């Protein structure tokens, strides 16, 4: 995978988003169709529907099992399955190729696939294999910076003063049929946290949410988008303030997400943090549900922690109180 593609995936993962590898058919009998792969998934493509996970039965030049794409922790791998007419990557015949990049073209028979990298709003949906994605475009467009005098732009307004004493803005009231999240009980210092990620300590896991080791927690749902709360931390560079860090993050968001709307919101206090600030980010992939992220930034010493709620906009009213309750039972105390 090219350095720019690696950096792109790193940035998107840093923001708490799952990343999809998209294979869009550019030419051939199924032109316009798209396959989406989440991390850890693979797909075998060929002409035979009984042997290939994704079949192109009308391509007579494609083998029954022609090639496979495997998406692992180190990137995306292309493997030819001893096809008769060969698998071609950007015009060159290959047996195996590592690290596919955004924009690469794979040709098998009469069918041409284009590789794309994008935030995966479907990756939280339980899946037993590759999915026919709802995305019609494989590339997330690069968005121009909004004019400074456009008050309704995606650029965040002046951030509220970062503080550890700013009261949390009340979340939306969930529908009457959905019970509100219970308040976090006082913490017992003798009880170890339920989950530790770097300097983040989750002292309470909401009901019907499960732990994702090293990542955070995720909602337990069936056949639906699973909301998640991800945690990460990183050291601040010399002279980098909390406000500057958020400004740089906002620039990257505007470059990599489709027309994001960024809004500064009130930040709750976090135990162990000297200052906090928060952003709400909304964006929508083409022909996909609108996604809402709430990002809480916590500063402690020379480290900054980022807590990210990712949910569908339609679910925010119900999920936001659960996020608020989780934050009330969390602490951030990185080891210097």
């Amino acid at each position: 995978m090219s350095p720019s593609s690696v950096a792109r995936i790193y940035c998107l993962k840093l923001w708490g988003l799952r990343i999809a590898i998209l294979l869009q058919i550019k030419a051939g009998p199924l032109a316009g169709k798209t396959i989406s792969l989440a991390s850890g998934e693979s797909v075998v493509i060929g002409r035979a529907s009984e042997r290939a996970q994704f079949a192109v039965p009308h391509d007579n030049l494609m083998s029954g099992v022609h090639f496979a794409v495997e998406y692992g922790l180190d990137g995306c791998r292309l493997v030819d399955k001893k096809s008769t007419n060969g698998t071609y990557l950007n015009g060159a015949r290959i047996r195996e190729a590592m690290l596919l990049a955004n924009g690469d073209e794979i040709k098998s028979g009469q069918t041409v696939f284009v590789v794309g990298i994008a935030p995966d709003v479907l990756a939280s949906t339980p899946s037993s294999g590759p999915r026919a994605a709802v995305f019609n475009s494989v590339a997330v467009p690069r968005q121009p910076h909004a004019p400074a005098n456009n008050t309704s732009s995606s650029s965040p307004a002046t951030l509220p003063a970062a503080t550890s004493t700013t009261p949390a803005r009340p979340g939306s009231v969930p529908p009457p049929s959905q019970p509100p999240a219970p308040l976090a009980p006082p913490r017992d210092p003798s009880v170890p946290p339920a989950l530790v990620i770097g300097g983040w300590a989750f002292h309470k896991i909401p009901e019907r949410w499960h732990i994702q080791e090293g990542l955070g927690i995720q909602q337990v749902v069936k056949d639906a988008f699973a909301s998640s709360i991800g945690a990460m931390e990183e050291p601040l560079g010399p002279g980098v303030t909390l406000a500057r860090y958020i400004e740089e993050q906002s620039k990257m968001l505007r470059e990599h997400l489709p027309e994001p709307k960024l809004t500064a919101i009130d930040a709750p206090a976090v135990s162990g943090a000297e200052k906090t600030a928060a952003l709400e980010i909304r964006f929508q992939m083409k022909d996909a549900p609108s996604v809402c992220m709430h990002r809480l930034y916590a500063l402690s010493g020379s480290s900054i922690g980022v807590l990210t709620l990712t949910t569908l906009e339609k679910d925010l009213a119900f999920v936001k109180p659960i996020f608020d309750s989780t934050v009330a039972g969390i602490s951030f105390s990185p080891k210097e």
Side-chain angles (χ1 to χ4, degrees):
M1 187 170 296
S2 67
S4 61
S5 295
V6 172
R8 179 187 180 83
I9 288 181
Y10 172 76
C11 289
L12 292 172
K13 286 184 176 180
L14 190 65
W15 300 329
L17 287 174
R18 291 171 176 78
I19 311 306
I21 296 297
L22 308 180
L23 302 175
Q24 185 182 51
I25 299 180
K26 175 182 177 181
L30 297 180
K33 294 287 186 181
T34 305
I35 306 167
S36 173
L37 293 177
S39 181
E41 292 182 343
S42 62
V43 61
V44 176
I45 296 172
R47 192 181 72 254
S49 57
E50 69 276 9
R51 290 187 290 156
Q53 292 172 287
F54 185 89
V56 188
H58 303 299
D59 188 337
N60 295 325
L61 297 181
M62 186 180 286
S63 296
V65 174
H66 200 106
F67 71 92
V69 174
E70 303 169 353
Y71 180 19
L73 294 176
D74 296 328
C76 210
R77 185 167 73 121
L78 173 65
V79 182
D80 180 72
K81 292 295 187 178
K82 299 180 180 179
S83 63
T84 300
N85 294 316
T87 299
Y88 292 81
L89 177 63
N90 299 326
R93 186 165 181 169
I94 60 94
R95 292 184 179 179
E96 181 175 325
M98 292 292 293
L99 305 179
L100 295 179
N102 196 51
D104 280 350
E105 291 192 359
I106 302 168
K107 183 178 180 182
S108 60
Q110 298 171 305
T111 304
V112 178
F113 299 80
V114 180
V115 179
I117 300 170
D120 186 5
V121 300
L122 299 181
S124 295
T125 303
S127 167
S128 58
R131 297 143 293 164
V134 297
F135 305 114
N136 290 331
S137 172
V138 300
V140 178
R142 185 183 181 95
Q143 298 300 321
H145 293 306
N149 60 353
N150 184 355
T151 57
S152 61
S153 71
S154 62
S155 177
T158 302
L159 289 171
T163 174
S164 60
T165 58
T166 303
R169 187 174 67 176
S172 303
V173 178
S177 60
Q178 298 170 317
L183 294 176
R187 294 198 298 269
D188 182 348
S190 65
V191 178
L195 173 66
V196 175
I197 300 175
W200 290 104
F202 289 72
H203 299 277
K204 176 178 180 287
I205 306 300
E207 293 184 8
R208 298 192 59 78
W209 288 61
H210 68 91
I211 292 174
Q212 294 184 300
E213 292 293 343
L215 298 174
I217 59 176
Q218 185 180 59
Q219 187 182 26
V220 179
V221 294
K222 183 178 180 181
D223 299 328
F225 182 90
S227 302
S228 63
I229 301 174
M232 57 79 61
E233 73 171 87
E234 64 176 337
L236 286 179
V240 178
T241 63
L242 177 58
R244 181 180 172 187
Y245 178 89
I246 297 174
E247 180 182 355
E248 292 301 316
Q249 289 269 305
S250 299
K251 288 180 181 178
M252 289 192 294
L253 284 165
R254 288 194 294 272
E255 290 176 355
H256 291 278
L257 295 180
E259 299 181 354
K261 295 179 175 63
L262 280 65
T263 307
I265 57 177
D266 291 340
V270 173
S271 177
E274 302 159 17
K275 296 180 180 180
T276 60
L279 284 180
E280 180 183 83
I281 303 119
R282 295 174 188 259
F283 68 93
Q284 185 172 12
M285 300 294 295
K286 187 176 181 180
D287 297 332
S290 179
V291 177
C292 184
M293 299 167 63
H294 276 235
R295 310 209 74 200
L296 175 60
Y297 300 88
L299 176 67
S300 179
S302 60
S303 297
I304 189 161
V306 184
L307 201 68
T308 304
L309 166 68
T310 304
T311 187
L312 295 183
E313 188 169 359
K314 68 180 182 65
D315 297 332
L316 180 63
F318 178 62
V319 176
K320 181 56 164 55
I322 297 175
F323 178 66
D324 292 339
S325 177
T326 302
V327 171
I330 207 167
S331 61
F332 180 63
S333 301
K335 295 180 180 179
E336 296 295 339

